[in-house]
Amino acid sequence: MRARRTAFLWLCIAPAVVLFVIFMAIPTGNVFRLSLFQRSTFQPEETFVGLQNFRTLLQDKIFIRSMQNTLLLIVAVTLFTMGGALIFAGILTGQKLRGQNFFRVVFYIPNILSVVVISGIFSAIYDVDKGLLNSILQLFGHEGILWKGEQYVIASLIIAMVWQALGYYMVMYMAAMAAVPKSLYESAALDGAGGITQFFKITVPLIWTNIRTTLTFFIISTINMAFLFVSAMTGGGPNNASNVTLLYMYNQKNLGGGYGYAMAIGVVLFLVSFGLSALVNRFTRRETPQY
């Protein structure tokens, strides 16, 4: 009977395992293999070069800058998005505000828009001559700012990316906060705890599992989101000031013999994202309070 049950369980998970191996495990292994070769995108010939692609990466200034930009976007966008989502979720959940559902919808709308649409909106806002930001500055007698220039382009991308993602995570945190027993807040209020104290001593600890899960997920998704926003808004310019690793990898694949080099970039990015996820899981591990 037990053997039949085990066979049935294996039969149930077999389709998922087969799909994982075909579409995840084999392609990922092939990326690692191709990183050791020199190969053109449109030619089947492969030349084994060992670790030469990785040695070239260490001397590639554009790659190093793109990796710096990627890490900066991961840290900044994650902090602002997660922090903002928690704050707004706490306000909308903890306070009896009129039109709460309206604010939920308004915050969530950016998440249902495509990255291309959002990039177009912010490109118009950042426009040097007729953009909203420069128009406001000119009303107060200031000169317009080149928001997509080298000095401000990363900050401009951060604003757009945070605006797109904040509402989605706010709604997730609101759902988690709704499950926290109201009696805990009532008891804390009787003991003299204010709203901020209740938020950090009750709300955050009790939804910490949700925060930890979304944090890991968001770090990985930010790498892909950065590629989409940079591709649509700046193309990596000016002078590679906004170039990110995925975009640089994508551009390298079409160069002569650059496919193996692109795969080497992919390997490095895979290891970096895996390492970041491991660090986040390690340093955010804590016991969830019981109530």
Side-chain angles (χ1 to χ4, degrees), residues 66-83 154 157-158 161-162 165 214-227 230 243-246 268-277 279-280:
S66 68
M67 182 60 73
Q68 291 172 341
N69 290 337
T70 300
L71 294 175
L72 178 59
L73 287 173
I74 289 174
V75 173
V77 174
T78 300
L79 288 177
F80 285 117
T81 302
M82 298 293 105
I154 293 295
L157 286 168
I158 290 172
M161 293 170 68
V162 170
T214 54
L215 190 61
T216 304
F217 171 76
F218 188 72
I219 287 174
I220 302 301
S221 65
T222 301
I223 297 174
N224 181 58
M225 189 165 64
F227 165 73
V230 171
N243 206 350
V244 290
T245 312
L246 267 183
V268 173
L269 190 59
F270 173 84
L271 295 176
V272 168
S273 61
F274 184 83
L276 286 174
S277 299
L279 286 175
V280 169

Side-chain angles (χ1 to χ4, degrees), residues 176-222:
M177 291 176 185
V180 178
K182 301 298 181 184
S183 58
L184 296 178
Y185 296 111
E186 294 171 357
S187 300
L190 292 175
D191 291 335
I196 296 177
T197 302
Q198 292 178 26
F199 180 77
F200 285 103
K201 296 295 185 180
I202 298 175
T203 305
V204 172
L206 289 179
I207 67 168
W208 187 253
T209 301
N210 303 81
I211 295 174
R212 191 166 170 243
T213 302
T214 54
L215 190 61
T216 304
F217 171 76
F218 188 72
I219 287 174
I220 302 301
S221 65
T222 301

Side-chain angles (χ1 to χ4, degrees), residues 76-78 80-82 84-85 88 104-123 125-126 132 155-170 218 225 229 233:
V77 174
T78 300
F80 285 117
T81 302
M82 298 293 105
F88 286 118
R104 293 182 187 184
V105 173
V106 168
F107 274 97
Y108 193 78
I109 284 176
N111 190 257
I112 65 177
L113 299 177
S114 71
V115 171
V116 175
V117 172
I118 296 174
S119 299
I121 292 172
F122 276 90
S123 293
I125 293 174
Y126 295 144
L132 176 63
S156 299
L157 286 168
I158 290 172
I159 293 171
M161 293 170 68
V162 170
W163 186 80
Q164 189 268 344
L166 189 144
Y168 174 79
Y169 291 94
M170 185 196 75
F218 188 72
M225 189 165 64
F229 271 96
M233 286 184 65

